[in-house]
Amino acid sequence: MSLSMGLQLFSVKNALKQDFIGTLEKLGDIGYKSLEMVIRKTDEGLSLVGELSAKEVRTQLDRLGMKVVGCHTHINEETEWEGIIESNHLIGSPAIGCSIAFFSNKDDVLRFCESFNRYGELCKTNGLGLYYHNHFQEFQQFHGETVMDIMLNNMEKDLIHFEFDSYWAVRGGADPIVWLHKLGDRCKKLHQKDLPVTAQPVNWFDVFGATSNITIDELYKTQDPAHFCEVGTGTLNIRAIIEAARSIGSAEYIFVEQDVTAKDEVEGVAISYGNLERLLKEV
């Protein structure tokens, strides 16, 4: 299967807030056509970052020749599934992704898997896929098993896929190539950013501790622009990641995702686009 390039719009969240349509136009000029969006619950209801409704967003995407191929949201017992599903249909998204989750112990993970399987059934009934996106905390071990292993063993293969973020795997002390092969045909999407040589220590568990209770507050501590850089400008072996993904043959998209950047957001994703486009052609 070919590996198409896309962009997770979280990478340009501040630019979108300032000028949603203008930012989409700039992204289109760079070359981005396949997008992954973020939908959030706010006091005013569900939001796609800007002030446009889902219908208005779809109109702009169609005008620019862009398409949404996935939509991240926060998934828990308070998720407004009716609105989330409707919004995904309106913008043309075929799948919903869980952007992040946190776990204190193995039982937490098992309960999450049980709920996630139910959500997978709900999404399937409504013509949508469901997938899970990792950060570093999924490589914490409980009773000798990583959270990712527990998920693989307890999430229904026919219902749940994974979006593998190689940067966060490395920050969790994991080998991204090993994990790509372990995920196999369950990995349908990839997230790609890069790790500066100056980001030390690489493994966040060397900072927080292997047995610490990883929460959103700990994750916020990792959101330093100095720990992120544009694709192709850091230390990650992105060429090998592309090679592995292509050899497995199940991943459909590789998304640029720049969590934070010291650069202008649009400038940053333009650099990543050029470098990733070159790598995809060379590999």
Side-chain angles (χ1 to χ4, degrees), residues 183-236:
L183 290 168
D185 62 4
R186 297 188 69 174
C187 177
K188 301 297 184 184
K189 298 176 174 67
L190 306 174
H191 268 192
Q192 196 60 60
K193 48 191 142 273
D194 217 334
L195 178 68
V197 67
T198 53
Q200 297 294 330
V202 170
N203 188 342
W204 276 119
F205 290 115
D206 290 340
V207 176
F208 298 118
T211 61
S212 61
N213 184 19
I214 305 300
T215 65
I216 189 68
D217 292 329
E218 274 64 50
L219 188 81
Y220 282 148
K221 294 174 186 176
T222 71
Q223 299 297 287
D224 182 343
H227 285 272
F228 297 83
C229 62
E230 284 65 36
V231 171
T233 66
T235 61
L236 296 186

Side-chain angles (χ1 to χ4, degrees), residues 42-137:
T42 69
D43 292 339
E44 290 75 36
L46 297 177
S47 169
L48 290 163
V49 179
E51 296 182 356
L52 276 65
S53 69
K55 287 184 179 179
E56 291 169 330
V57 169
R58 178 63 180 270
T59 297
Q60 294 301 322
L61 293 172
D62 289 345
R63 177 177 69 86
L64 295 169
M66 293 172 156
K67 63 179 179 178
V68 179
V69 296
C71 190
H72 275 200
T73 194
H74 189 54
I75 293 178
N76 57 28
E77 64 278 0
E78 298 179 359
T79 300
E80 296 182 9
W81 282 106
E82 184 176 349
I84 294 286
I85 289 169
E86 180 184 19
S87 295
N88 273 265
H89 285 317
L90 287 171
I91 61 176
S93 168
I96 298 172
C98 178
S99 55
I100 196 165
F102 297 93
F103 312 96
S104 299
N105 51 56
K106 184 174 181 178
D107 286 341
D108 276 355
V109 187
L110 291 172
R111 283 191 293 268
F112 182 85
C113 292
E114 183 179 1
S115 298
F116 215 65
N117 286 332
R118 293 199 307 271
Y119 301 147
E121 285 280 10
L122 176 64
C123 289
K124 183 177 181 180
T125 300
N126 285 276
L128 296 168
L130 182 63
Y131 58 98
Y132 185 87
H133 166 266
N134 69 277
H135 285 78
F136 80 96
Q137 65 269 20

